[in-house]
Amino acid sequence: MTTSAPGGGATGAEPPFFVYGTLLPGEPNHDLFLRGRTAWERPAVLPRALLYEGPGYPYAIEGHGRVHGTLLAAAPGVYGELLGLLDHLEEFLGPGHPRNLYERVAREVELPGPDGGSARAWVYLAASAVTTRSLRTGGVLIPGGRWAAARPPEKPAARGGGPHPG
């Protein structure tokens, strides 16, 4: 796994982000963290990954599957702000930090549709402590890699608490 810039180094490039949980359009953290901060958003697929249920948000890990989500680019002038917000939300403290909930890694994502193609993007994958401790030993795999489709509709009264990673 790499944690270097998706563009291949310190080129000043601002790589897009691949999101697959509570940051998806229509989910609660999309409005809280992304509204007004993105230049564009489009459906995308993360190959060689599996999706697991988490406590109100999902975890993606390396594996033999596909995770469906959204590729998005920061609006002009807000890349640093957005990167900081997402790192904080996903509890990413730095590459390999023992208290990380997620690791921010550079991965190739596929762009479905007539234009197709792929893009290098930042993806938040479950940190190794989370993967080893709970997902691989007793986690619930989400078949098909679509988080929103795998969970029951949320009841308005059950929403309490603050935002969750994802």
Side-chain angles (χ1 to χ4, degrees), residues 106-124:
R107 292 286 302 271
E108 201 72 21
V109 297
E110 299 170 352
L111 304 169
D115 296 335
S118 65
R120 195 92 168 137
W122 287 127
V123 179
Y124 292 89

Side-chain angles (χ1 to χ4, degrees), residues 12-31:
E14 296 179 343
F17 299 88
F18 175 80
V19 299
Y20 54 84
T22 66
L23 289 165
L24 288 169
E27 295 297 325
N29 283 337
H30 184 274
D31 283 350

Side-chain angles (χ1 to χ4, degrees), residues 90-156:
E90 307 293 13
E91 297 182 38
F92 172 70
L93 303 173
H97 194 285
R99 291 194 348 247
N100 282 347
L101 183 60
Y102 292 87
E103 288 285 340
R104 177 170 31 95
V105 298
R107 292 286 302 271
E108 201 72 21
V109 297
E110 299 170 352
L111 304 169
D115 296 335
S118 65
R120 195 92 168 137
W122 287 127
V123 179
Y124 292 89
L125 296 179
S128 62
V130 174
T131 303
T132 304
R133 182 178 62 242
S134 58
L135 297 180
R136 292 201 188 269
T137 58
V140 177
L141 182 67
I142 297 173
R146 292 182 193 272
W147 181 65
R151 60 192 177 82
E154 200 170 274
K155 296 177 186 169

Side-chain angles (χ1 to χ4, degrees), residues 57-69:
Y57 48 88
Y59 292 106
I61 67 169
E62 304 270 347
H64 299 291
R66 297 166 62 79
V67 173
H68 297 266

